[in-house]
């Protein structure tokens, strides 16, 4: 099952989503895409900075422990994977009710939305079958 990492540029809010066979591969993709974004979108800030080179290398971001911290002030982790794709419920709450636990492999949804999807699909199949036999 592929691993997905999501980060957001702290300067402009641009989202960087990467996947890989394992966490390290996904992190490497994030390094590359993150450095490309910063180099393209924030070249003026890099040029004005004495702390950073004029162009970031992919290894300048997401290195070691910084992968889950502030990422040197350019990228921050985004916990979208903890949000229901249908209703937006945040799964990170410790007091989550049972009908809001995350389910599904293709897209993370809460149990209530999953049940609604199943009911909607069943109703749709029933209507299509009735229409076919008429």
């Amino acid at each position: 099952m592929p691993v997905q990492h999501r980060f957001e540029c702290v300067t402009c809010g641009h989202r960087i989503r990467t996947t890989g066979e394992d966490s390290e591969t996904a992190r490497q993709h994030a390094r590359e895409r993150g450095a490309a974004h910063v180099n393209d979108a924030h070249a003026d800030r890099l040029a004005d900075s004495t702390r950073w080179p004029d162009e970031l290398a992919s290894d300048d971001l997401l290195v070691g422990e910084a992968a889950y911290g502030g990422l040197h002030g350019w990228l921050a982790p985004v916990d979208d994977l903890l949000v229901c794709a249908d209703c937006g419920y945040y799964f990170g709450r410790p007091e989550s009710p049972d009908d809001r636990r995350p389910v599904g492999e293709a897209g993370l949804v809460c149990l209530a939305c999953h049940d609604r999807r199943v009911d909607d699909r069943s109703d749709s199949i029933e209507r299509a079958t009735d229409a076919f036999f008429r």
Side-chain angles (χ1 to χ4, degrees):
M1 179 176 201
V3 176
Q4 186 175 64
H5 285 284
R6 296 181 186 195
F7 298 95
E8 182 175 278
C9 177
V10 296
T11 305
C12 67
H14 175 76
R15 296 280 174 105
I16 296 164
R17 297 176 183 163
T18 60
T19 57
E21 294 298 320
D22 56 26
S23 187
E24 186 55 39
T25 304
R27 191 173 296 134
Q28 180 61 35
H29 290 279
R31 286 184 192 115
E32 293 164 1
R33 292 188 62 199
H37 165 73
V38 172
N39 288 333
D40 292 341
H42 306 295
D44 55 337
R45 287 180 166 239
L46 289 172
D48 293 342
S49 174
T50 57
R51 183 175 172 212
W52 294 99
D54 287 345
E55 186 170 307
L56 292 179
S58 61
D59 289 335
D60 290 335
L61 297 172
L62 307 173
V63 178
E65 293 300 315
Y68 297 101
L71 306 182
H72 303 294
W74 289 109
L75 302 177
V78 178
D79 61 358
D80 281 353
L81 294 177
L82 297 175
V83 176
C84 176
D86 281 0
C87 69
Y89 182 82
Y90 177 65
F91 298 120
R93 297 183 184 127
E95 69 281 347
S96 295
D98 283 342
D99 67 336
R100 295 297 183 173
R101 75 175 193 274
V103 294
E105 291 183 21
L108 203 60
V109 295
C110 66
L111 186 59
C113 290
H114 180 267
D115 290 345
R116 181 185 43 75
R117 284 182 177 186
V118 169
D119 290 343
D120 290 348
R121 179 172 165 75
S122 296
D123 291 345
S124 176
I125 291 172
E126 187 176 318
R127 283 191 307 270
T129 303
D130 289 345
F132 177 75
F133 285 113
R134 285 186 194 173

